[in-house]
Amino acid sequence: MSTVSGVVKAEAKHFDVIVVGAGVGGLYALHRARRLGLNVQLFEAGGDVGGTWYWNNYPGARVDVPSFEYSFSFDSELEQEWRWSERYSAQPELLSYIHHVVERYDLRSSIEFNTWVTSAVYDSKAMVWTVETEGGKSVVTRSLIMATGPLSVPVYPKLIGMDRFKGESVHTGRWATEGVDVTGKRVAVIGTGSSGAQIAPELAKAAGKLYMLQRSPAYSVPSQNRALTEEEVTSLKANYAAIRQKARRNRSCLGVDVGNQSALEVGAAEREAIYQARWNEGGLGFSAAFNDIYSDVNANNTAAEFVRQKIKGIVADPETARKLLPDSLIGCKRLCVDNGYFEMFNRDNVQLIDISENPIKELNETGIVLEDGEIPIDVIVYATGFDAITGSLLNMDIQGRDGISLKQAWSDGPMTYLGLAVQGFPNLFMVNGPGSPAGLANMVALAEENVSWIMSCLDHMKKQQVKAIEPTAEAQFEWAKIINAMSEASIYPLANSWYVGSNVPGKPRMFMSHMDYPNYVKACRDSANAGYSGFELS
Ligand code: FAD
Ligand code: NAP
C-alpha cells in the first residue's frame, strides 16, 4: 500500500489523472486530459487498445449501430479522413478505426497494457487516490477515471463438470485471448443474445455440426447490412454534423426516425406495412416504428407478433420454428440485430436444442449431457453475456472516504449522481457508468459526452483550486428517483436481463440506466453550468 493512515509513500509516482480502460471511453479521456495539460497515465488489462473491440473479436462481431454513428465526433478532420466500408462494420474494421485514433493522437506512449488495476484507495487527508495493479505497481493520483466498460466482464454459467470437459471452451467476450478454429468440428453455442445471434451463423459456415443451445428464444431483426457506396460515403461525410445532431435529439442517441404515433392508433394493415418497411430498412430502427413499443404492453405485442410471423416464415422446419418463437415482450432484453440468424436453422449442420425443455445436466470429458442423452462436442462457445454496468467497477477493491468500499455503498444496487460520480468517492469519475444511459444509447457518443463533462470539471477544479469534488447524498437520491420513475414507466423491468442485473446470481435487481439521452445530457450540463450543483467542492 502506498498510503498508510494518510501518509502517501514518497516513492510512488504521482499523476493528476489515472484512466483505467483503453476502450473508446478511456482513450478519449486520455486524449482530453493530455490536451488539458494534465499528467495522465492509462492502465489497461488487455494486451492492446480497443476495449470491447479488442476482446470480442469473435467471427461475426459487428456493431448494431451504424458505423458512421458509432464513431468519434470531436474532430471533424478525423471524421473526414476515415472511410467506413459497411453500414454495420465488423470488429476488424472497428478495431482498425480505434488503432487509427490512437496513432493519430499519439496516445500509445501513455498506456500500460497487461496491467490489471486491483484496487484504488482514497486518502482523505492528502485527498489523493492510491491505485494498485496486479503486478504490484502503486501510483498516486488526484483524479481517477474509470472507463472500465459496461460490458467487459464475461459471465460463465455454473455447469456441473465444466472443469472436466477436455475439448475447447471459449467465451465470446474473451475470444481475443482464447479464440479457436472450429473448422469441421462439433460446436455447441450456449446463449441466444446479441453475441450468440451474431457468432452462430458464422461458426455454422465452418463447423462440422453446430448445436445452438437455447434457454430463451430471442427477438432479432435483420441488419440488412451492406457495403457503403462512394456516393453514400460522400453524402454522409458532408452531413456528419446534421446526422449527429439528429441522433442527439433521440432518446437512444441514434439517428433513427422515431415514429410519432401509437402502434394501437393505426389499422392492422397500416401497422403491418410500417413494420415491414422498418424490417426492410434493417437494424434497431425497427423498435422505433411507434412511440409506445417500450411503454405499452399491447403496443409492444404488435411488434413482437410481427417478428414471430417472420420467424415462422424464415425457418423451414415447423418444430424448430416453434421453439424459436419468443412469447415475451420485445426489446426488454436488448433486441438482437443479426445477419442470417434465423436462416441459419435451415442449414443441415445446425440443430436447435431447447434447454428449457431438455436441460443441461452436466458436462463430461467429451461433451454435454442433456436430460435426454449426451451430445459429443469439440468446442463449447459461451455466449452467456456479461456482468453488465457495475461488474467491472466492483471487480476492483475501491475504497473511498472514511474507508467505505464501493461494494458496501452499492450493496443494494448502484447509486450515482449523473452516472458520473458517487457520494463518498471524491474525484472518482465514471464513463458509461450506472445511472448514465449506458446500454440504451450509442456508447461512443455517451463516452464523449461523459469525458467532456469530466474534463470541464477537472479544468474548473484546477482554475478554482478545488481539491475534491463529490456528489451530495441528496443529489444522488434524487437521481435514483428519476431513474426509477423512468424504469417504472417502461416495460424494461418486466423481463430478466442484464439491464436489471438478473443475469448474475446474487446481483441486486435494479434497472441501472437513464433512458433519455437528451434529458440526461441536459441534466449533466445544467449541473456544470450552475457551478456543479448537486456536488460538494472542497
Ligand atoms: P470497453 O470498450 O469495454 O473498455 C473497457 C476496458 O477497460 C477494457 O479493455 C477492459 O479490459 C478494461 N478494464 C476493465 N477493468 C479493468 C481493470 N480493473 N484494470 C485495467 N483495465 C480494465 N454499443 C453500442 O453503442 N453499439 C454497438 O453496436 C455495440 N456493440 C457491442 C458489441 C459487443 C460484442 C459488445 C460486448 C458490446 C457492444 N456495445 C455496443 C457496447 C460497448 O461496450 C460500448 O459501445 C463501448 O465499446 C464501451 O466502451 P468503453 O470504453 O466504455 O468500455
Ligand atoms: P446477453 O444478452 O446477456 O445474452 C446471454 C445469453 O446467454 C442469453 O440467451 C441467456 O439466456 C444465455 N444464458 C446465460 N446464462 C445461461 C445459462 N446458465 N444457461 C443457458 N443459457 C444461458 O449477452 P450477449 O449476447 O453477450 O449481449 C450482451 C450485450 O452486449 C447486448 O445486449 C448488447 O448490448 C451488446 N452486444 C451487442 C452486439 C451487437 O450486435 N453489436 C453483439 C454482442 C453484444 P436467457 O435469455 O434465458 O437469460
Side-chain angles (χ1 to χ4, degrees):
M1 290 273 283
S2 283
T3 53
V4 183
S5 15
V7 183
V8 177
K9 266 194 194 171
E11 72 270 22
K13 218 167 163 187
H14 284 239
F15 291 93
D16 297 323
V17 182
I18 289 290
V19 179
V20 188
V24 289
L27 292 171
Y28 186 49
L30 170 59
H31 173 59
R32 289 289 302 270
R34 278 225 199 123
R35 266 181 33 191
L36 264 187
L38 299 171
N39 177 18
V40 53
Q41 174 78 32
L42 188 153
F43 292 134
E44 165 55 52
D48 210 331
V49 296
T52 289
W53 305 107
Y54 166 82
W55 293 108
N56 293 264
N57 67 345
Y58 58 80
R62 61 178 68 243
V63 264
D64 59 8
V65 166
S67 333
F68 54 87
E69 290 188 45
Y70 190 83
S71 63
F72 288 116
S73 68
F74 67 88
D75 185 344
S76 58
E77 280 182 21
L78 172 64
E79 286 180 335
Q80 293 304 317
E81 75 196 12
W82 186 262
R83 189 202 188 284
W84 292 106
S85 69
E86 290 179 272
R87 191 175 171 213
Y88 297 101
S89 291
Q91 176 273 339
E93 189 169 30
L94 296 155
L95 195 55
S96 299
Y97 171 74
I98 295 173
H99 277 263
H100 172 71
V101 171
V102 168
E103 307 317 326
R104 191 183 200 285
Y105 303 99
D106 189 25
L107 302 180
R108 203 168 273 279
S109 58
S110 299
I111 307 176
E112 237 179 275
F113 295 107
N114 302 306
T115 304
W116 183 267
V117 172
T118 49
S119 73
V121 178
Y122 189 67
D123 178 333
S124 301
K125 249 192 189 159
M127 293 175 152
V128 291
W129 287 90
T130 295
V131 175
E132 299 206 331
T133 72
E134 201 170 43
K137 178 173 259 201
S138 176
V139 297
V140 174
T141 181
R142 171 78 65 205
S143 301
L144 191 49
I145 300 179
M146 293 299 187
T148 48
L151 293 156
S152 62
V153 179
V155 173
Y156 294 80
K158 290 190 175 29
L159 301 172
I160 298 167
M162 274 173 90
D163 51 341
R164 248 183 292 149
F165 177 62
K166 290 269 189 284
E168 295 181 86
S169 304
V170 54
H171 193 287
T172 51
R174 283 291 175 268
W175 204 269
T177 46
E178 299 166 7
V180 291
D181 179 12
V182 300
T183 311
K185 294 183 180 165
R186 296 161 301 186
V187 180
V189 176
I190 305 180
T192 56
S194 304
S195 301
Q198 277 192 335
I199 195 172
E202 284 308 307
L203 295 183
K205 291 176 192 166
K209 176 91 187 178
L210 184 133
Y211 299 94
M212 193 73 197
L213 273 66
Q214 167 188 283
R215 186 167 70 181
S216 319
Y219 287 104
S220 190
V221 294
S223 71
Q224 313 291 15
N225 187 35
R226 56 185 164 71
L228 293 171
T229 65
E230 226 31 76
E231 294 71 43
E232 279 175 307
V233 171
T234 307
S235 159
L236 289 168
K237 284 190 178 182
N239 292 298
Y240 249 126
I243 290 166
R244 309 263 195 216
Q245 218 172 27
K246 176 178 176 189
R248 288 184 189 123
R249 281 197 294 268
N250 276 343
R251 288 164 73 92
S252 60
C253 194
L254 300 182
V256 293
D257 291 315
V258 180
N260 58 7
Q261 53 189 345
S262 160
L264 305 174
E265 73 187 37
V266 295
E270 190 185 345
R271 191 166 54 227
E272 185 81 0
I274 290 172
Y275 283 136
Q276 185 62 50
R278 296 268 175 164
W279 182 272
N280 296 345
E281 175 60 20
L284 293 170
F286 177 82
S287 57
F290 296 99
N291 62 15
D292 52 357
I293 291 177
Y294 284 96
S295 56
D296 184 296
V297 169
N298 293 326
N300 184 282
N301 199 40
T302 63
E305 185 52 27
F306 181 89
V307 177
R308 283 193 286 266
Q309 291 307 323
K310 285 292 180 194
I311 298 171
K312 284 188 202 163
I314 295 169
V315 179
D317 173 44
E319 182 56 8
T320 304
R322 179 190 68 77
K323 290 178 180 168
L324 284 168
L325 294 186
D327 62 1
S328 49
L329 295 166
I330 188 169
C332 282
K333 293 181 180 176
R334 187 176 173 99
L335 183 60
C336 302
V337 176
D338 74 88
N339 296 284
Y341 176 61
F342 295 118
E343 290 80 353
M344 171 189 81
F345 292 97
N346 294 335
R347 294 179 66 104
D348 290 339
N349 68 334
V350 173
Q351 187 180 334
L352 177 68
I353 296 179
D354 184 340
I355 55 173
S356 69
E357 291 175 358
N358 182 16
I360 299 174
K361 266 175 67 185
E362 59 178 341
L363 305 191
N364 63 18
E365 294 196 347
T366 51
I368 298 179
V369 183
L370 301 165
E371 204 92 303
D372 75 351
E374 180 186 340
I375 42 172
I377 295 294
D378 302 307
V379 180
I380 299 178
V381 175
Y382 292 103
T384 42
F386 300 89
D387 184 352
I389 315 277
T390 53
S392 65
L393 293 157
L394 295 176
N395 249 349
M396 294 169 281
D397 178 17
I398 301 180
Q399 291 178 33
R401 208 166 26 74
D402 309 322
I404 186 169
S405 75
L406 193 64
K407 286 189 184 86
Q408 282 169 310
W410 286 1
S411 55
D412 293 331
M415 292 287 286
T416 73
Y417 182 45
L418 304 173
L420 288 162
V422 186
Q423 195 234 347
F425 298 81
N427 302 352
L428 184 148
F429 302 98
M430 296 168 297
V431 178
N432 288 335
S436 80
L440 298 178
N442 172 348
M443 280 194 259
V444 177
L446 176 60
E448 273 189 305
E449 186 61 36
N450 282 169
V451 168
S452 296
W453 189 97
I454 295 166
M455 292 303 149
S456 302
C457 179
L458 293 182
D459 194 33
H460 176 84
M461 289 171 71
K462 197 169 154 188
K463 287 180 178 143
Q464 302 300 318
Q465 298 187 336
V466 171
K467 283 197 164 170
I469 182 168
E470 65 169 298
T472 63
E474 296 71 35
Q476 199 164 265
F477 182 68
E478 288 306 314
W479 193 248
K481 280 202 330 206
I482 291 171
I483 294 190
N484 281 344
M486 283 181 174
S487 153
E488 276 163 24
S490 80
I491 54 160
Y492 284 107
L494 302 178
N496 289 329
S497 72
W498 63 260
Y499 286 132
V500 294
S502 62
N503 64 326
V504 178
K507 191 166 173 169
R509 190 184 177 100
M510 175 171 169
F511 193 84
M512 294 179 280
S513 299
H514 193 284
M515 288 184 194
D516 186 342
Y517 182 83
N519 270 318
Y520 169 75
V521 169
K522 184 177 180 310
C524 294
R525 293 185 183 179
D526 283 352
S527 161
N529 292 337
Y532 297 93
S533 59
F535 288 89
E536 230 167 63
L537 286 73
S538 49

